[in-house]
């Protein structure tokens, strides 16, 4: 069998992390992307810059500051301790928070572009027909932005699967709890277990290719030409 029990546990944990991250990002980022696409506020630029920070910051920097923030001496850590809750670092919950932050732009930016592509005309027509703001959003904007949701979902899932620096900083290397596929590959290489590393790394290569191919075919035909 090419995968050991630890490999399978890491794969299962990674898929669970990526699935939850994607679902939460699509829910949480939709109103933010809508605001960025429609607002004339002068805060649009700074907010867009903050959203895009994970694209340029090293993952270890993001992981380090999240570790400080959520640790026992950080603001979030102290708040959780005051509520009688455990701190998040080195738990699955900590990995989830780190993944949400790290993959944020991969959800927000496709959704923002999709909402911008909707334009004003369909919403104005819906308003003339008596549709309220919420009705226009759910019955006009969301259906028209469907390609953006598909792109955001695929990119967020794939990006979370490929995380290394953030998850290692926040979760460490706890089997069955925080050891994801990227960390498992690193462990195999450190132990000179190149055959096992090849199997996992090769699977990641095939997965990444499939994601890029899916993104190509999910785009409308006019965008592929």
């Amino acid at each position: 069998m090419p995968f050991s029990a630890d490999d399978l546990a890491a794969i299962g944990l990674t898929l669970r992390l990526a699935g939850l991250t994607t679902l939460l990002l699509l829910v949480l980022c939709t109103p933010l992307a809508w605001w960025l696409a429609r607002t004339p506020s002068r805060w649009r630029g700074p907010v867009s810059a903050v959203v895009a920070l994970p694209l340029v910051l090293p993952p270890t920097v993001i992981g380090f500051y999240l570790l400080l923030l959520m640790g026992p001496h950080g603001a979030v850590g102290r708040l959780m301790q005051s509520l009688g809750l455990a701190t998040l670092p080195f738990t699955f919950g900590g990995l989830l928070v780190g993944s949400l932050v790290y993959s944020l732009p991969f959800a927000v930016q496709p959704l923002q572009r999709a909402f911008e592509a909707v334009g004003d005309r369909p919403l104005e027509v819906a308003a003339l027909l008596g549709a309220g703001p919420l009705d226009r959003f759910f019955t006009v904007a969301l259906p028209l932005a469907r390609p953006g949701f598909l792109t955001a979902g695929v990119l967020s899932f794939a990006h979370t699967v490929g995380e290394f620096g953030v998850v290692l900083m926040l979760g460490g290397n706890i089997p069955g709890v925080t050891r994801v596929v990227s960390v498992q590959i690193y462990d195999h290489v450190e132990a000179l277990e190149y055959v096992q590393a090849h199997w996992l790394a090769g699977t990641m290569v095939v997965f990444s290719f499939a994601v890029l191919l899916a993104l190509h075919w999910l785009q409308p035909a006019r965008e592929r030409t």
Side-chain angles (χ1 to χ4, degrees), residues 52-125:
L53 271 178
L55 294 175
V56 296
L57 282 176
T60 49
V61 172
I62 299 172
F64 172 69
Y65 282 112
L66 287 176
L67 184 62
L68 292 182
L69 182 66
M70 297 189 297
H73 303 296
V76 175
R78 289 197 300 268
L79 175 62
M80 296 195 69
Q81 289 179 102
S82 68
L83 296 174
L85 302 173
T87 54
L88 289 173
F90 309 109
T91 66
F92 181 81
L95 290 188
L96 183 59
V97 172
S99 298
L100 290 172
V101 173
Y102 188 48
S103 295
L104 182 68
F106 291 86
V108 173
Q109 292 183 352
L111 293 177
Q112 181 183 344
R113 288 193 295 268
F115 285 137
E116 289 170 347
V118 170
D120 294 328
R121 183 62 179 168
L123 299 173
E124 290 170 354
V125 171

Side-chain angles (χ1 to χ4, degrees), residues 67-222:
L67 184 62
L68 292 182
L69 182 66
M70 297 189 297
H73 303 296
V76 175
R78 289 197 300 268
L79 175 62
M80 296 195 69
Q81 289 179 102
S82 68
L83 296 174
L85 302 173
T87 54
L88 289 173
F90 309 109
T91 66
F92 181 81
L95 290 188
L96 183 59
V97 172
S99 298
L100 290 172
V101 173
Y102 188 48
S103 295
L104 182 68
F106 291 86
V108 173
Q109 292 183 352
L111 293 177
Q112 181 183 344
R113 288 193 295 268
F115 285 137
E116 289 170 347
V118 170
D120 294 328
R121 183 62 179 168
L123 299 173
E124 290 170 354
V125 171
L128 288 174
L129 294 175
L134 285 178
D135 194 18
R136 295 197 297 271
F137 177 75
F138 284 106
T139 62
V140 178
L142 283 186
L144 291 175
R146 181 174 174 270
F149 279 87
L150 291 173
T151 301
V154 172
L155 284 179
S156 298
F157 188 91
H159 192 249
T160 303
V161 167
E163 290 178 17
F164 178 72
V166 171
V167 295
L168 188 61
M169 290 288 289
L170 278 178
N173 190 359
I174 305 172
V177 180
T178 62
R179 183 187 290 171
V180 294
V181 167
S182 56
V183 178
Q184 182 73 2
I185 294 172
Y186 179 78
D187 284 351
H188 281 318
V189 173
E190 281 214 314
L192 302 180
E193 298 169 348
Y194 292 124
V195 174
Q196 294 92 326
H198 271 306
W199 275 105
L200 277 178
T203 301
M204 293 288 289
V205 171
V206 173
F207 173 78
S208 300
F209 175 79
V211 166
L212 293 175
L213 189 62
L215 277 178
H216 174 76
W217 289 111
L218 286 173
Q219 291 175 345
R222 66 178 184 276

Side-chain angles (χ1 to χ4, degrees), residues 35 38-44:
W35 181 82
R38 307 289 300 176
T39 184
S41 171
R42 59 191 177 90
W43 289 102
R44 183 176 184 268

